[in-house]
Amino acid sequence: MHPRCRGVSLIKGLDFDTETKKPVLISNTIEEAMGSGFKCGVLMGANVAKEVAESEMCESTLAGDFGNTLLNERIRQVFDEPPNFRVAWIADVAGAEACGALKNIVALGAGFVDGLGFGGNTKAALLRVGLLDMAKFCHYFFDGVEQGTFVQSCGMADLITTCYGGRNRLCAEEFAKLRLANENTAIDSEECEKLWTKIEEELLNGQKLQGTLTIQEVYAILVSRQLEDSFRLFAMIYKISFEGEPVTSITDAIQVQRSFTDTLRNSQRLDHP
């Protein structure tokens, strides 16, 4: 491999170390696999594939430090195709990559809200609290995360488009409707798994859900550190999805919280992994 070779990952997800119970950036896994000081960035953003293919205007975020300012800009230009596909560069790989995975969890909550028939006010509140949980998780588990990352396309914009038009929202809405139709019937974890599988097969035409996999792994991490109360929305989305908690409980986890800055400060006071 040439020493000037660089990589950019478009994978929206996280790996999880089963021994340490810590999230692992896929870009780091790629770097380790390639060896020899290989540098891998990520391209994340509000990029629904169908709309990109139809040349509708959208933004994306290239995150990475590829060696120097000139090289960063040259790699950004590889992806930047204005006016339809506009790419901004940031250095924060961890924040951008983690947002790409965590927004799928919040999208499940958005689907529950839609399935309950609630309107824009409730969904807006859920997105706000979801963004705070995403930021808190990123700052807690990864070093060097920048606050500004969450207002880039990879953060807020991707969260919004996923919670209004993504497959995780769609399937969670159907999950909520089916649960409501049988609200007097208790459902255990095995039946929850079967219901998600049925919905996925019927609605996604061979595509797979990401949010259900990510929330299972994230929740295991939170439980291992007794952090469920610090991430109440994430915890509630898991309980509704896999423990049979009533879907109506989603609003219990949409709590009025402190300012964004206070939330980040408090996350840094938690016992760091």
Side-chain angles (χ1 to χ4, degrees), residues 12-13 100-101 103-105 107-109 111-112 162 165-176 192-217 241-242:
K12 289 188 175 181
K103 52 96 177 183
N104 290 322
I105 296 176
L108 295 178
F112 296 155
T162 302
R167 74 188 75 159
N168 294 282
R169 187 220 62 81
L170 175 68
C171 290
E173 179 181 9
E174 182 66 13
F175 182 91
C192 286
E193 290 271 11
K194 290 179 180 178
L195 185 55
W196 282 116
T197 300
K198 175 178 180 291
I199 292 169
E200 185 180 69
E201 291 174 350
E202 292 179 353
L203 297 185
L204 297 188
N205 298 316
Q207 290 184 310
K208 296 295 182 181
L209 282 172
Q210 307 103 329
T212 49
L213 297 175
T214 304
I215 188 54
Q216 288 175 290
E217 293 168 325
S241 299
F242 294 105

Side-chain angles (χ1 to χ4, degrees), residues 116-255:
L116 289 167
F118 295 147
N121 290 341
T122 307
K123 184 181 278 192
L126 179 129
L127 264 65
R128 185 187 69 81
V129 175
L131 183 62
L132 289 172
D133 265 10
M134 288 167 56
K136 187 160 48 175
F137 187 95
C138 290
H139 280 279
Y140 182 77
F141 286 102
F142 301 106
D143 294 327
V145 172
E146 299 175 3
Q147 186 169 328
T149 298
F150 303 103
V151 294
Q152 294 286 339
S153 181
C154 62
M156 181 186 297
D158 199 7
L159 177 64
I160 292 170
T161 197
T162 302
C163 288
Y164 279 88
R167 74 188 75 159
N168 294 282
R169 187 220 62 81
L170 175 68
C171 290
E173 179 181 9
E174 182 66 13
F175 182 91
K177 289 178 177 179
L178 292 174
R179 287 288 309 280
L180 286 174
N182 299 279
E183 59 184 340
N184 295 323
T185 303
I187 183 170
D188 60 22
S189 58
E190 183 178 351
E191 291 169 326
C192 286
E193 290 271 11
K194 290 179 180 178
L195 185 55
W196 282 116
T197 300
K198 175 178 180 291
I199 292 169
E200 185 180 69
E201 291 174 350
E202 292 179 353
L203 297 185
L204 297 188
N205 298 316
Q207 290 184 310
K208 296 295 182 181
L209 282 172
Q210 307 103 329
T212 49
L213 297 175
T214 304
I215 188 54
Q216 288 175 290
E217 293 168 325
V218 165
Y219 188 71
I221 290 173
L222 298 180
V223 169
S224 71
R225 289 168 172 75
Q226 299 181 327
L227 291 174
E228 303 99 298
D229 288 342
S230 297
F231 294 86
R232 293 190 63 187
L233 182 59
F234 283 0
M236 182 59 74
I237 290 171
Y238 174 83
K239 291 175 181 177
I240 293 171
S241 299
F242 294 105
E243 292 187 350
E245 184 78 19
V247 181
T248 52
S249 298
I250 189 67
T251 55
D252 295 338
I254 304 174
Q255 299 289 323

